[in-house]
Amino acid sequence: MSDRNGIFAGDDPFAIARAWLDEAAATEINDPNAMALATVDADGMPDARMVLLKDIETGPAGGFVFYTNYDSAKGRQIAATGNAAFVMHWKSLRRQVRARGTVTREEGPQADAYYASRALQSRIGAWASRQSQPLDSRGTLMAEVARQGLRHGVNPARPPFWGGFRITPIEIEFWADGAFRLHDRFRWARPSVHAEWDVTRLQP
């Protein structure tokens, strides 16, 4: 596409997304890697929440990776449907990235390495929290944190119920703010995760 240049240029949408995220890291005040993750439950009711993107894998097998408790509401919803969508919006850059696709677990050495890189308190917290389940008081939670800290010590292993999810998109849209609401939008789409990308400029 002849006019896909500047910030939209490139043959790998994951590399473009990573470049935008790197720019945002220098301008956003907090959490430039925050993304609104959308899922649906077993009844088809949509749900959304903010999560932190931890990796953008480039190339033909690229994807977007985040980590969570597999037994959380989002984990159960992803397990039921195998699909998810997200949007990342950076006010300082006046840009956003949207994507939707299939989701697989990342629960191998990559997940172990990320878990080990977290603060000890966060690693113990992953063991202590029954994420999305009812909680009678914060005191109960903190008592469980203390109990799990004594149980697992200073080098806890990654919980089997905690790990990564990789979103492998079939659609990615790059959006940049334009004067008078005449935005620039390019959609990368493919019929399956193994197919070639087709790029289309969209109306604002």
Side-chain angles (χ1 to χ4, degrees), residues 35 37 39 49 51-57 63-84 86 102-108 110-111 114 131 158 160-168:
M35 64 182 192
L37 177 74
T39 55
R49 78 289 286 161
V51 300
L52 296 180
L53 177 68
K54 290 301 179 180
D55 194 16
I56 300 177
E57 300 168 333
F64 300 87
V65 182
F66 68 96
Y67 293 85
T68 191
N69 186 313
Y70 292 138
D71 296 328
S72 64
K74 57 184 171 295
R76 295 193 306 271
Q77 290 164 5
I78 288 171
T81 67
N83 299 311
F86 72 82
T102 60
V103 187
T104 55
R105 286 191 182 189
E106 172 50 63
E107 47 191 347
Q110 184 174 331
Y114 172 67
Q131 194 174 99
R158 179 176 59 85
F161 52 82
W162 191 100
F165 280 118
R166 176 179 291 101
I167 301 174
T168 304

Side-chain angles (χ1 to χ4, degrees), residues 15-104:
I16 298 172
R18 180 179 284 179
W20 284 25
L21 178 58
D22 288 344
E23 276 193 75
T27 57
E28 292 290 297
I29 296 174
N30 290 310
D31 296 331
N33 60 330
M35 64 182 192
L37 177 74
T39 55
V40 296
D41 65 18
D43 297 321
M45 181 65 71
D47 207 349
R49 78 289 286 161
M50 303 302 294
V51 300
L52 296 180
L53 177 68
K54 290 301 179 180
D55 194 16
I56 300 177
E57 300 168 333
T58 58
F64 300 87
V65 182
F66 68 96
Y67 293 85
T68 191
N69 186 313
Y70 292 138
D71 296 328
S72 64
K74 57 184 171 295
R76 295 193 306 271
Q77 290 164 5
I78 288 171
T81 67
N83 299 311
F86 72 82
V87 59
M88 304 184 77
H89 177 247
W90 300 292
K91 288 186 176 181
S92 61
L93 297 179
R94 294 184 294 183
R95 299 180 205 166
Q96 69 179 19
V97 174
R98 300 171 57 210
R100 58 180 181 165
T102 60
V103 187
T104 55

Side-chain angles (χ1 to χ4, degrees), residues 162-190:
W162 191 100
F165 280 118
R166 176 179 291 101
I167 301 174
T168 304
I170 58 169
E171 289 186 14
I172 307 175
E173 181 188 319
F174 295 92
W175 177 102
D177 182 52
F180 308 107
R181 311 299 292 176
L182 300 177
H183 312 305
D184 288 308
R185 299 173 61 189
F186 290 92
R187 180 182 63 206
W188 296 63
R190 54 187 178 177

